[in-house]
Amino acid sequence: ETGVTQSPTHLIKTRGQQVTLRCSSQSGHNTVSWYQQALGQGPQFIFQYYREEENGRGNFPPRFSGLQFPNYSSELNVNALELDDSALYLCASSQDRRTDTQYFGPGTRLTVL
Amino acid sequence: QQQVKQSPQSLIVQKGGISIINCAYENTAFDYFPWYQQFPGKGPALLIAIRPDVSEKKEGRFTISFNKSAKQFSLHIMDSQPGDSATYFCAASMDSNYQLIWGAGTKLIIKP
């Protein structure tokens, strides 16, 4: 069974640029959630995708957008990057949107200069 | 009402001792309470979870105690080992959306 994978591992961007982060969900999982984890803090929920549709969104501006593909992999896009967007971005997959357990990938460390 | 408050921020325990981390919540609609363990450079990994219909759940050296009336839950790590040194997060979610609301984390150091 393949776990959750994310790419890239690290990324450096400048303010105003756009970034795309990728996540492959665990085999058999149809739900993907994205979280932002600032240094020294707990993760903050960005949004969740279930069967290619957004299934809930946290308190993040519209410049944070996402996509889920038919194979249930997912992308997180962030436009007009700001310095405060620097964080670890975590992807988690679960077997179904009604399933408790979320399995996390190793994250993508984004630095905005 | 969405917050989960976690304490302490950091904790140092001697090898073989008991590590205790506490969390409190406000939203009575929360009905799923997991604990995650995170090592540096890694994503969080589910350690143990509880629902409000039980007051305690034990898995190996890890125990969750849950007090519904006080809206508090805690993680106990028995016989703490240096390999347990990590950051621990409590979280909570509601049946309606399974969006996890996280505590701020506790950095645990086990001294040999």
Side-chain angles (χ1 to χ4, degrees):
Chain A
E1 188 177 81
T2 307
V4 179
T5 60
Q6 292 185 244
S7 62
T9 306
H10 296 91
L11 203 52
I12 299 175
K13 291 286 188 178
T14 56
R15 196 168 46 180
Q17 284 189 309
Q18 177 265 343
V19 69
T20 297
L21 311 181
R22 294 178 175 82
C23 170
S24 291
S25 58
Q26 192 163 314
S27 176
H29 289 189
N30 60 26
T31 302
V32 171
S33 302
W34 285 92
Y35 293 83
Q36 180 195 65
Q37 186 178 20
L39 201 60
Q41 296 182 26
Q44 298 287 318
F45 176 76
I46 303 175
F47 42 57
Q48 182 184 82
Y49 277 84
Y50 168 71
R51 293 186 180 273
E52 302 180 59
E53 293 200 1
E54 190 176 288
N55 184 51
R57 188 179 182 93
N59 190 27
F60 279 80
R63 58 189 186 84
F64 285 78
S65 63
L67 204 56
Q68 187 179 31
F69 300 98
N71 67 354
Y72 304 130
S73 65
S74 177
E75 283 183 356
L76 164 65
N77 298 290
V78 187
N79 294 321
L81 283 166
E82 300 177 359
L83 298 179
D84 284 350
D85 295 334
S86 294
L88 180 68
Y89 287 84
L90 295 163
C91 166
S93 76
S94 49
Q95 197 166 12
D96 188 81
R97 64 179 175 176
R98 305 299 297 170
T99 304
D100 297 345
T101 305
Q102 297 184 23
Y103 297 88
F104 283 80
T108 293
R109 172 71 63 188
L110 172 65
T111 302
V112 182
L113 302 175
Chain B
Q1 273 230 319
Q2 287 286 86
Q3 274 189 314
V4 175
K5 295 182 180 178
Q6 184 172 345
S7 63
Q9 191 173 5
S10 62
L11 182 62
I12 300 174
V13 175
Q14 288 294 128
K15 178 183 174 183
I18 303 173
S19 304
I20 301 174
I21 304 171
N22 301 298
C23 282
Y25 64 97
E26 290 295 324
N27 192 338
T28 54
F30 287 146
D31 70 347
Y32 173 67
F33 303 89
W35 284 90
Y36 279 84
Q37 179 190 57
Q38 187 176 29
F39 292 104
K42 304 285 187 182
L46 179 67
L47 203 55
I48 187 171
I50 199 168
R51 287 198 170 271
D53 51 347
V54 297
S55 60
E56 187 175 283
K57 183 175 181 180
K58 184 176 180 180
E59 288 184 3
R61 296 184 295 111
F62 301 93
T63 300
I64 298 180
S65 296
F66 187 83
N67 186 329
K68 189 173 181 178
S69 60
K71 293 187 284 186
Q72 295 175 348
F73 58 111
S74 61
L75 174 70
H76 296 232
I77 305 174
M78 312 300 287
D79 187 27
S80 299
Q81 299 297 312
D84 296 330
S85 297
T87 300
Y88 292 81
F89 292 94
C90 63
S93 69
M94 291 181 278
D95 185 67
S96 60
N97 62 18
Y98 287 101
Q99 171 191 147
L100 286 173
I101 307 298
W102 297 70
T106 296
K107 186 171 183 178
L108 175 64
I109 297 171
I110 307 300
K111 286 200 163 183

